[in-house]
Amino acid sequence: MTASDWRKMLKQFRNKPAIRDKVIKHNKPKERTTGIARKKCERCGRFGAMINSYGLNLCRHCFREIAEDLGFKKYS
Ligand SMILES: [Zn+2]
């Protein structure tokens, strides 16, 4: 499955709930405890360059875009 989001494939089982549950049971990726795939940007889904300070859980790209809206101020 792609790294973006494994739930995308469930769209094809919209009208077949029993089959959907079975597919989820057997194909759901396991929860990671270590490694780069453990943390994911909440906004875009990137794995790299995470900012987890202050409970942000954003990648650096998203942080740059929405930092001012969040109340951060650039001093340089
Ligand atoms: Zn992001």
Side-chain angles (χ1 to χ4, degrees), residues 4-63:
S4 63
D5 199 352
W6 68 276
R7 288 178 201 87
K8 281 181 182 174
M9 72 170 188
L10 298 177
K11 200 185 281 183
Q12 62 189 313
F13 303 112
R14 224 178 296 144
N15 297 321
K16 298 173 180 174
I19 294 174
R20 205 188 96 230
D21 294 343
K22 203 169 170 182
V23 167
I24 290 172
K25 182 185 172 190
H26 293 287
N27 296 306
K28 187 183 175 193
K30 67 178 178 182
E31 294 295 319
R32 300 287 170 181
T33 56
T34 56
I36 197 165
R38 187 169 69 99
K39 293 174 195 163
K40 199 171 174 182
C41 176
E42 289 177 349
R43 192 158 168 258
C44 68
R46 279 192 182 97
F47 290 115
M50 293 290 298
I51 297 170
N52 294 309
S53 311
Y54 313 111
L56 287 174
N57 299 323
L58 295 169
C59 69
R60 67 179 185 88
H61 307 277
C62 292
F63 180 73

Side-chain angles (χ1 to χ4, degrees), residues 57-76:
N57 299 323
L58 295 169
C59 69
R60 67 179 185 88
H61 307 277
C62 292
F63 180 73
R64 262 184 79 103
E65 288 172 13
I66 62 169
E68 283 191 16
D69 300 334
L70 295 172
F72 288 89
K73 194 176 174 185
K74 194 170 182 179
Y75 283 100
S76 61

